[in-house]
Every structure is written in structure tokens, then in C-alpha cells.
Amino acid sequence: MITNEKQYRSARSTIDRLSGELAKASVAQDGVHPALRKAQIAGLKSQIDELVESTARYDDLRSGKVTTFT
């Protein structure tokens, strides 16, 4: 859970970096087994989704849409 601006900025930066890695992984690579590439893509998507959800919750808290968090 993101609780301050420093964590928020770090999460946004990580989302950008992981998105770039996802773009690279989505291109077929010589010598990389398709199952391994598929697993790598799934892992990157999962990490990105978690960070996007966390930043969205922090945005809601910061904007006043949500007044408490657990």
C-alpha cells in the first residue's frame, strides 16, 4: 500500500520501467522458449497491475474520494 508521495513517485517510475520491459518481452526473441517468454510477460503484467491498483487507491485517498484506508 502506498502511504506517501515518495512511495507514489517510486511506484509510478517502476510502472514505467516495467512497461518498457513488457514491450521488450512481447517481441519474440531468438533462443527464448515460448513458455518462458509467456511466463515473463504474465509476471510483468501482474506486477504492473498491482502497482496501478495501489497508485489508483492512493490517488483516491489524496483526492478525498476515500477518507480512510485499511
Side-chain angles (χ1 to χ4, degrees):
M1 171 172 278
I2 297 172
T3 58
N4 60 51
E5 285 297 316
K6 183 178 180 180
Q7 291 174 341
Y8 179 81
R9 286 190 306 272
S10 177
R12 294 300 314 165
S13 175
T14 302
I15 289 169
D16 292 341
R17 183 178 53 80
L18 291 175
S19 294
E21 292 298 318
L22 179 59
K24 290 178 191 175
S26 296
V27 176
Q29 301 168 358
D30 292 335
V32 177
H33 193 279
L36 178 59
R37 190 167 55 87
K38 184 177 178 181
Q40 182 181 19
I41 290 169
L44 288 168
K45 284 182 180 180
S46 176
Q47 288 179 321
I48 291 168
D49 290 347
E50 286 178 23
L51 288 170
V52 167
E53 184 178 329
S54 292
T55 56
R57 278 193 252 138
Y58 184 75
D59 284 336
D60 288 346
L61 185 63
R62 191 171 54 178
S63 71
K65 288 181 185 177
V66 176
T67 56
T68 60
F69 63 94
T70 56

